[in-house]
Amino acid sequence: MTQQTLFTDCTVATLKSGQPNYGLIEDAAILQRDGLIEWIGPSGVVPLKRSEMDEQSLQGRLVTPALIDCHTHLVFGGNRSKEFEQRLKGVSYEEIASSGGGINSTVEATRAASFDALVSASLRRLDDLISDGVAVVEVKSGYGLTIDDEIRMLQVARKLEELRPVKIVTTWLAAHAVPPAFKGRADTYIDHIVIPGLVRAANEGLVDAVDGFCETIAFTSGQIERVFQAAGSLGLPVKLHAEQLSDQKGALLAARYSALSADHLAYLSATDVEAFASAGTVAVLLPGAFYTLKETKLPPVAALRHHNVDIAIATDCNPGSSPISSILTAMNMACTEFALTPEEALAGTTRCAAKALGLSGQYGEITIGARAELAVWDVEHPSELSYWLGGSPLHKRISHGIAA
Ligand code: NIG
Ligand code: FE
């Protein structure tokens, strides 16, 4: 049976591409049918007979597309608060990584945790995101670093989707760090673990995209390129942790492979932005990592704007560089640290984040044919979503057309 609802008495920020001022419609109505947006417009001109529909007043609230966190490492064991203490005493993130800590310490804790323990630790963080109005979460592997442990992380990620009304998008990130067993043999690690593991995980339907960490403490662009070629032969899209701590020209490599996104980008040089822009790759900025690692090198926001690069914002939720499970906090940080406007920050966690996950038109915009994945807020204006810090003004989420 068709399930149809007319949501009325609301202000809607559609976030539709090309529309000014958040795509704001005052005194709006939204018609959803079977979980898809059927119509959106001013409430005075609803095209169907209102008596034939289930009508629900949103009592003057603001409606936006449900939010999207397009870059997380949500599944991990343990935490790294000891490294937080070390960094406050002056030891750098790179020094900790090079002395066996960093990503590899989370690898140990993740391997040691049971499947159920990983699910319950990850669920807590997922629930934080959901309470901020999030409906789509990207989750990376990258703390297993053996074929079985990487696959297990993605199985945990898929399990989360069964337990909560969210969409989980999975990413193969075995090229995250060279594990101790392969120390000094990064190429062998790529050949024996990263690529064959990817083939197996893809065959098991566990992979939506492929990522890598292109950095002096991780992999060279040549090594990443081999992973991208393997992804290409499996028909999987790629993305990259690029230019987080130094300029390795990773963003240009990502662009050459028509990556969905290049992420971090603090060290992307303004002069490389033009070449980067031509690929249509989304720039994902991660202000939580910038904040936590007390970085000072800012991503080239003005050049990205100038070349019309779509900018997304994500939490980068992980135990090392960004122990943050609030997308609204990430939006606030993007404004205060990177001088994004609140409108850019909201586009960055809706329309542009959807593009970064290959989900344009389905999520992240309130437009005809998109999924009826909505967030209803106790605020008057969408700029408040980037303004309040430390609490969530979410009233409720609507998922597949019904309250979630
Ligand atoms: O996006 N840069 C690489 N990966 C993560 C950090 C992972 C970690 O420190 O555990 C990031 O910042
Ligand atoms: Fe990351």
Side-chain angles (χ1 to χ4, degrees):
M1 211 185 81
T2 305
Q3 180 249 335
Q4 180 166 288
T5 320
L6 182 71
F7 297 103
T8 58
D9 193 13
C10 52
T11 299
V12 176
T14 65
L15 273 301
K16 269 177 71 168
S17 176
Q19 291 192 353
N21 193 25
Y22 301 86
L24 219 56
I25 308 175
E26 307 275 354
D27 189 15
I30 303 171
L31 178 63
Q32 77 80 26
R33 185 205 291 257
D34 291 337
L36 297 181
I37 308 284
E38 175 119 328
W39 183 84
I40 158 83
S43 65
V45 294
V46 176
L48 295 173
K49 257 212 211 116
R50 293 176 81 136
S51 56
E52 287 169 9
M53 301 177 237
D54 173 20
E55 198 168 318
Q56 231 183 79
S57 166
L58 296 176
Q59 296 161 321
R61 294 188 173 89
L62 175 77
V63 182
T64 68
L67 305 187
I68 298 169
D69 194 350
C70 68
H71 179 141
T72 85
H73 307 251
L74 200 77
V75 175
F76 59 84
N79 75 74
R80 306 229 294 273
S81 60
K82 293 269 170 350
E83 291 180 9
F84 177 53
E85 290 183 326
Q86 278 180 283
R87 285 200 309 277
L88 289 170
K89 288 182 184 142
V91 189
S92 75
Y93 182 74
E94 289 98 320
E95 283 163 345
I96 292 169
S98 307
S99 61
I103 292 172
N104 274 314
S105 75
T106 297
V107 170
E108 262 180 54
T110 304
R111 287 179 185 170
S114 69
F115 186 90
D116 289 349
L118 286 177
V119 169
S120 68
S122 308
L123 262 188
R124 288 189 69 133
R125 300 185 273 271
L126 180 60
D127 284 337
D128 289 345
L129 291 174
I130 290 172
S131 67
D132 267 4
V134 169
V136 182
V137 182
E138 187 255 16
V139 179
K140 301 173 194 297
S141 70
Y143 293 125
L145 311 191
T146 66
I147 293 179
D148 286 346
D149 287 301
E150 286 289 296
I151 284 184
R152 195 171 72 119
M153 285 188 70
L154 295 187
Q155 288 165 337
V156 170
R158 288 278 197 245
K159 181 76 190 171
L160 299 175
E161 196 171 47
E162 290 171 25
L163 299 172
R164 293 291 185 272
V166 289
K167 179 174 178 61
I168 301 284
V169 179
T170 56
T171 300
W172 180 256
L173 177 59
H176 195 198
V178 181
F182 286 87
K183 195 161 192 239
R185 297 185 299 137
D187 282 297
T188 314
Y189 173 65
I190 301 263
D191 291 335
H192 286 73
I193 306 294
V194 178
I195 293 174
L198 169 59
V199 173
R200 205 181 109 192
N203 286 338
E204 292 177 22
L206 290 168
V207 184
D208 297 320
V210 177
D211 195 353
F213 186 18
C214 187
E215 192 53 69
T216 52
I217 56 170
F219 298 93
T220 65
S221 59
Q223 288 160 347
I224 296 291
E225 183 156 10
R226 291 199 291 120
V227 180
F228 280 4
Q229 282 165 352
S233 62
L234 292 163
L236 291 169
V238 298
K239 56 178 79 173
L240 190 62
H241 284 72
E243 276 74 86
Q244 179 184 8
L245 307 167
S246 61
D247 186 1
Q248 301 291 316
K249 305 292 175 197
L252 295 182
L253 171 70
R256 254 199 305 122
Y257 279 79
S258 304
L260 288 171
S261 69
D263 304 34
H264 284 290
L265 302 179
Y267 285 80
L268 171 62
S269 85
T271 49
D272 283 341
V273 172
E274 190 170 355
F276 176 75
S278 59
T281 297
V282 176
V284 178
L285 304 186
L286 303 167
F290 181 91
Y291 166 86
T292 302
L293 299 183
K294 295 195 183 180
E295 297 291 345
T296 50
K297 180 83 172 66
L298 288 162
V301 170
L304 293 171
R305 275 191 194 118
H306 180 74
H307 291 285
N308 294 316
V309 175
D310 285 311
I311 300 174
I313 304 298
T315 61
D316 194 15
C317 177
N318 78 72
S321 67
S322 192
I324 294 169
S325 53
S326 163
I327 193 82
L328 295 175
T329 303
M331 288 162 63
N332 173 278
M333 289 176 167
C335 296
T336 51
E337 292 174 340
F338 300 158
L340 260 62
T341 65
E343 184 171 2
E344 287 171 325
L346 185 56
T349 55
T350 54
R351 186 183 66 248
C352 299
K355 184 177 174 194
L357 296 179
L359 297 173
S360 288
Q362 295 177 59
Y363 292 86
E365 282 172 80
I366 303 180
T367 187
I368 293 170
R371 312 249 172 168
E373 296 291 331
L374 309 171
V376 183
W377 306 94
D378 282 317
V379 301
E380 285 174 14
H381 191 267
S383 58
E384 288 179 64
L385 300 179
S386 296
Y387 161 76
W388 297 109
L389 197 49
S392 173
L394 183 74
H395 173 67
K396 68 175 173 189
R397 246 174 19 117
I398 292 169
S399 182
H400 202 73
I402 52 178

